[in-house]
Every structure is written in structure tokens, then in C-alpha cells.
Amino acid sequence: MAAPQAQAGPPLRGADVTAGANAETRTVAATHAQEARAAAVVCGAGYVLDNAQRLPTNEQRLATLFTYRIPTDGDLNDEPTCAILDNNTGTRMWMKLKVCSNWIADGCAEDSGYFTQYAGPVYRARGGCGKVYAIMKNSASSTVAIVDAIRASTNCD
């Protein structure tokens, strides 16, 4: 997939981040505004940032997991969700991004392969409060992952 093109412009405004976004998400959005904006553009119209996490740790950012949702007046579980796994290494890596709906019957969707920019977007029609699996390795056959994370798709707690 082609890399998301960063949009020139001001830093993210509060309206671009959901009201329920945690402090880490707000920090990532402020620090990496162009990347967060670019991933939102890839997800499409109406998606706002709900969750952003540096992976594998805040101190060692090899990837950034961005999760967006389309806010509704209904239940967070029912909201459309989109995820992007941003490759921050600057090199081609094997990546897998899997998003599972909180609704078991809806199942999971995934994107995997060799990417220099990002894996995804991966969508779930009712993805709020589901799980996101993010894996990054040097090669598909490698037994060692440099990123291996399971996270909540949105900030539900």
C-alpha cells in the first residue's frame, strides 16, 4: 500500500481526538500530529483519533498504533473503527495488523505483508471496545518480533 501522505497544516485540534482519548493518545497526537492526521485521512471521512500508542514502548518507538472511530450518539461497541500500524523504523518490515470486533459474530479483519510505511487500514463496522493485534518483524519467517502487542481498539474503560 502507498504511504499515507502527511497533510500540511496546524497541529491537531481537540476536535480531531475523541473526548474519551487518554493522556498517552493526546501526547502522541500532539507530538506526531502529521502522522496522526495522515492515518486519519487513510481511514476516511468522519474518523477521529481515539487511541494512539507507541510500540513496543513509549521510550522505544518502532511503530505507532493509531485507532480511529466514527463517534455516534449510541453505544461505543457499535461504532465503526479503523486501525493503522505506522512503521517508524524507516525500513521495510513484515507487519500484521488484526482488528477484532467486540461482537464475536463480527469476527476479525487483518492486513499483513511487507510495508515500509504502514499496515492497514483495517476496519470493523462495530469495532469499538474490541482488540487490536500488532506484530512487526524483520521477516515473515523470523521467530522474533520487535513489536508484538495486544491492545484495546478504543478507550472503553
Side-chain angles (χ1 to χ4, degrees):
M1 290 189 177
Q5 298 299 309
Q7 302 293 314
L12 286 175
R13 301 171 312 278
D16 297 315
V17 179
T18 62
N22 62 25
E24 180 181 0
T25 297
R26 293 182 185 285
T27 298
V28 171
T31 307
H32 307 288
Q34 286 187 337
E35 293 94 334
R37 240 191 329 271
V41 168
V42 171
C43 283
Y47 283 94
V48 294
L49 183 62
D50 191 73
N51 204 355
Q53 298 178 358
R54 298 174 188 114
L55 299 173
T57 67
N58 277 337
E59 295 76 29
Q60 185 186 23
R61 180 176 158 255
L62 301 175
T64 307
L65 177 60
F66 292 107
T67 308
Y68 299 82
R69 64 183 173 91
I70 297 177
T72 66
D73 291 333
D75 188 346
L76 179 62
N77 290 322
D78 292 333
E79 293 182 341
T81 304
C82 171
I84 302 283
L85 181 60
D86 196 24
N87 178 350
N88 305 129
T89 67
T91 60
R92 182 175 170 260
M93 303 294 283
W94 186 87
M95 301 167 69
K96 179 177 180 178
L97 177 63
K98 181 177 174 181
V99 180
C100 298
S101 174
N102 194 44
W103 298 87
I104 294 170
D106 290 356
C108 303
E110 67 181 61
D111 186 27
S112 64
Y114 287 91
F115 303 104
T116 55
Q117 297 296 318
Y118 66 93
V122 177
Y123 298 94
R124 292 288 69 206
R126 301 188 298 176
C129 300
K131 294 286 183 202
V132 178
Y133 302 83
I135 300 171
M136 179 186 282
K137 305 188 295 186
N138 289 320
S139 70
S141 61
S142 176
T143 58
V144 177
I146 62 172
V147 169
D148 189 355
I150 301 172
R151 302 289 191 265
S153 61
T154 55
N155 292 301
C156 297
D157 297 329

